Amino acid sequence: MERIFGRPIITQDEMQKRVRELGNQITLDYADKNLLMVGVLKGAFAFYADLVRAIRLLLRVDFIVVTTRATQKRSVAGKIKILSDMAEDVTGQDVLLVEDIVDSGMTVSFLKKKLLARKPKSLKVCTLLDKPERRKVRVSIDYVGFTLPNKYVVGYGLDYQNRYRNLPYIAVMDKVSEAEELFYWQE
Ligand code: IMP
Ligand code: MG
């Protein structure tokens, strides 16, 4: 039986190292600021949890839940919606939005616009993954974990039909046998 699964592209070790680097950089950049971190759910939950623990500041955490696409198809601007809004007030805060992946750029662009309207003192974006080849709208990203080619990836929070989010590394979607799948889980 053929199953859809993924071959590792970013290992747990590489991930840990990069998250530590990002955490150090953010610690320096926000040393004298009022950092409010906003995780974009669901996709960013794993990265976000690791990233906040790599930052040595008295930061505050919050979340925003946006709609995700049902398929791998490009997101449609009109279809992005906030399912559950943040609890904290953004006004006057140094906000850092944390995303899992920037693909077309639609989601980040939509969220930036929404948050900027609430008058933060500053607004920056950190994404674990960036797929610049697929960009449809121009959007500036301040911190990028890894830049990827145009491939659909899962794991470490990223999903295919809400599955594979618990995979502890990033994998490229592929068709593999059951035996291979087991092997990859054990990587
Ligand atoms: P964008 O609006 O096209 O930039 O897409 C952003 C959202 O699409 C991300 O937050 C993900 O939820 C999803 N997405 C884009 N590419 C991938 C991928 O390769 N794997 C899993 N989810 C993806
Ligand atoms: Mg998603």
Side-chain angles (χ1 to χ4, degrees), residues 41-143:
L41 297 180
K42 301 179 210 165
F45 79 93
F47 173 50
Y48 185 84
D50 286 346
L51 184 64
V52 293
R53 286 177 290 176
I55 300 170
R56 298 174 307 280
L57 294 172
L58 289 175
L59 56 83
R60 282 161 306 139
V61 302
D62 204 350
F63 298 94
I64 195 161
V65 188
V66 295
T67 46
T68 54
R69 296 167 296 165
T71 65
Q72 312 185 7
K73 292 200 194 95
R74 277 158 206 274
S75 39
V76 181
K79 281 197 180 155
I80 304 168
K81 264 198 325 202
I82 294 176
L83 290 185
S84 175
D85 210 334
M86 303 173 49
E88 299 279 329
D89 186 4
V90 160
T91 314
Q93 306 301 309
D94 293 300
V95 178
L96 181 59
L97 203 59
V98 181
E99 261 282 16
D100 54 351
I101 187 165
V102 181
D103 188 24
S104 71
M106 301 279 203
T107 309
V108 166
S109 159
F110 168 86
L111 285 172
K112 271 186 133 177
K113 221 171 111 190
K114 287 272 177 201
L115 294 188
L116 281 174
R118 300 174 188 177
K119 306 265 183 281
K121 187 164 175 223
S122 69
L123 176 62
K124 284 192 182 184
V125 178
C126 174
T127 186
L128 174 64
L129 306 171
D130 185 15
K131 287 199 287 194
E133 282 173 50
R134 302 235 320 154
R135 205 71 94 245
K136 282 179 88 184
V137 290
R138 268 186 67 168
V139 60
S140 70
I141 312 292
D142 305 278
Y143 305 94

Side-chain angles (χ1 to χ4, degrees), residues 2-13:
E2 239 185 1
R3 294 159 74 100
I4 295 176
F5 197 63
R7 295 167 199 274
I9 182 173
I10 301 170
T11 66
Q12 292 188 67
D13 282 353

